[in-house]
């Protein structure tokens, strides 16, 4: 029997959770063939979240992280869409692209689990990416399958940093423990290291500390990414940096807004990542999305 480890850091105020109906749930995606997002909004409230553009279309008056719309008919809609695609439809499905499929609301609604069940039964390749230890609940569906994988996002092993960069996600140690348990349960595991913040989580010291822990895991692949400019990201990140890490503000601004510093940043980050991986003994295949 698996035990779900603690799942909270420093919590923001509870979000407003609404139950809504959706018309479609299996959408095309640039990451896999399809993406399934059972929730609009994400309670994890990461400062750098690229999905915050969703807030323009839903709850424009509320800050990102403060609302969650649970698509309570998602499993029924998915079942219909899969039936329409037929027996040989197939393809790869990313869970999830604009929310965390295992954010706290999933504990109550179980929508991700029910959709996951349908997808694996229908033979789709399912790639789960999360920052939540709650995914342990679904190891029975993900384990022992070639067509399923779990990718844990981890930009830092330092809980003092993630407490303000990813305030409502599981603490880093719980994510690492979850990967360990996933491997034991026969789940193919991966790590997504990013988006890295200049002068904060992209330093040799920070990366080495994280990689030293990842090196102990049988990871199929490690992805590394820097911070990129997306809608609404700079206002949120600059606000958080000014408050928690003012020393990193100028470097982050230069890296994001000037072409030349941005290119040289990519080059030096690749070197730092390689050196940190070597020193930490991280041997898993590395894919730098830089
Ligand atoms: S877990 Fe992902 S979707 Fe949720 S707030 Fe963080 S970055 Fe955004």
């Amino acid at each position: 029997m698996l035990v779900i480890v603690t799942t909270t850091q420093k919590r923001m105020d509870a979000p407003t959770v609404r139950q809504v109906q959706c018309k479609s749930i299996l959408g095309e995606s640039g990451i896999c063939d399809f993406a399934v997002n059972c929730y609009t909004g994400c309670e994890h409230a990461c400062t750098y979240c690229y999905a915050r553009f969703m807030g323009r279309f839903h709850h424009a008056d509320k800050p990102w992280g403060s609302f969650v719309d649970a698509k309570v008919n998602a499993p029924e809609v998915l079942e219909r869409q899969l039936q329409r695609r037929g027996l040989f439809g197939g393809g790869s499905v990313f869970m999830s692209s604009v929310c965390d499929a295992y954010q706290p609301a999933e504990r109550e609604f179980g929508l991700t689990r029910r959709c996951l069940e349908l997808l694996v039964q229908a033979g789709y390749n399912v790639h789960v990416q999360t920052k939540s230890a709650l995914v342990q609940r679904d190891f029975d569906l993900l384990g022992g399958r070639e067509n399923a994988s779990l990718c844990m996002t981890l930009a830092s092993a330092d809980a003092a940093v993630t407490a303000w960069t990813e305030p409502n996600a599981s603490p880093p140690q719980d994510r690492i423990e979850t990967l360990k348990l996933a491997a034991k349960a026969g789940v193919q595991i991966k790590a997504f290291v990013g988006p890295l913040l200049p002068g904060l989580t992209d330093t040799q010291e920070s990366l080495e500390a994280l990689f030293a822990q990842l090196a102990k895991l049988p990871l199929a692949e490690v992805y590394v990414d820097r911070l990129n400019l997306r809608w609404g990201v700079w206002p949120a990140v600059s606000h958080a940096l000014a408050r928690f890490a003012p020393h990193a503000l100028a470097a982050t601004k230069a890296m994001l807004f000037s072409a030349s510093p941005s290119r040289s940043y990519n080059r030096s980050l690749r070197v730092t990542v390689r050196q940190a991986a070597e020193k930490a003994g991280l041997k898993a295949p590395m894919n730098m999305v830089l």
Side-chain angles (χ1 to χ4, degrees):
M1 173 92 178
L2 291 168
V3 178
I4 297 175
V5 292
T6 331
T7 59
T8 53
Q9 305 195 101
K10 198 177 76 187
R11 298 202 62 80
M12 287 180 34
D13 292 341
T16 307
V17 181
R18 293 191 321 186
Q19 297 186 30
V20 300
Q21 301 283 317
C22 64
K23 289 188 179 139
S24 168
I25 193 72
L26 189 70
E28 289 189 4
S29 161
I31 303 169
C32 291
D33 297 325
F34 304 100
V36 166
N37 290 281
C38 294
Y39 303 91
T40 300
C42 185
E43 193 183 340
H44 286 169
C46 305
T47 52
Y48 53 73
C49 180
Y50 296 166
R52 62 177 63 242
F53 73 92
M54 294 294 288
R56 288 157 81 187
F57 313 113
H58 309 265
H59 308 276
D61 54 328
K62 297 197 183 89
W64 182 250
S66 70
F67 63 88
V68 178
D69 285 354
K71 302 173 192 173
V72 289
N73 64 336
E76 291 72 29
V77 173
L78 179 62
E79 192 164 20
R80 277 202 300 276
Q81 285 188 277
L82 293 179
Q83 277 167 0
R84 237 177 280 140
R85 295 198 77 242
L87 257 188
F88 304 104
S92 57
V93 181
F94 189 62
M95 293 180 88
S96 294
S97 57
V98 287
C99 70
D100 194 309
Y102 290 94
Q103 61 179 295
E106 170 63 13
R107 196 181 291 278
E108 177 185 349
F109 293 103
L111 300 169
T112 296
R113 181 176 174 88
R114 286 168 62 203
C115 288
L116 194 55
E117 262 169 336
L118 291 166
L119 289 165
V120 293
Q121 273 164 19
Y124 283 74
N125 296 319
V126 185
H127 304 285
V128 171
Q129 185 165 345
T130 184
K131 294 187 183 105
S132 172
L134 179 58
V135 68
Q136 291 175 37
R137 184 200 62 191
D138 293 349
F139 284 175
D140 59 324
L141 296 173
L142 295 167
R145 290 180 187 273
E146 281 183 9
N147 64 343
S149 67
L150 165 64
C151 183
M152 189 63 78
T153 303
L154 274 154
S156 169
D158 186 346
V161 171
T162 59
W164 60 269
T165 55
E166 302 157 349
N168 298 332
S170 297
Q173 281 312 316
D174 288 1
R175 295 184 227 171
I176 289 163
E177 183 63 18
T178 298
L179 282 174
K180 213 180 286 174
L181 293 170
K184 272 194 197 149
V187 181
Q188 186 190 152
I189 56 167
K190 302 176 182 182
F192 183 92
V193 176
L196 295 170
L197 302 174
L200 198 70
T201 52
D202 72 344
T203 62
Q204 175 109 13
E205 190 190 6
S206 175
L207 288 167
E208 255 181 63
L210 176 60
F211 288 171
Q213 306 216 37
L214 296 183
K216 297 176 195 153
L217 300 168
L219 292 162
E221 199 160 9
V222 176
Y223 304 92
V224 181
D225 197 11
R226 53 168 263 178
L227 179 70
N228 287 295
L229 210 47
R230 298 282 188 274
W231 188 91
V233 165
W234 176 242
V237 167
S238 59
H239 184 261
L241 286 177
R243 182 164 172 211
F244 296 105
H247 69 280
L249 198 50
T252 308
K253 190 172 182 187
M255 183 274 277
L256 285 175
F257 291 97
S258 317
S260 171
S262 177
R263 278 194 298 273
S264 60
Y265 174 79
N266 287 357
R267 276 195 299 275
S268 79
L269 182 56
R270 280 191 209 104
V271 173
T272 309
V273 168
R274 273 195 212 99
Q275 286 173 346
E278 206 176 305
K279 276 195 109 177
L282 178 61
K283 303 263 186 324
M286 193 161 293
N287 187 345
M288 290 200 234
V289 203
L290 302 167

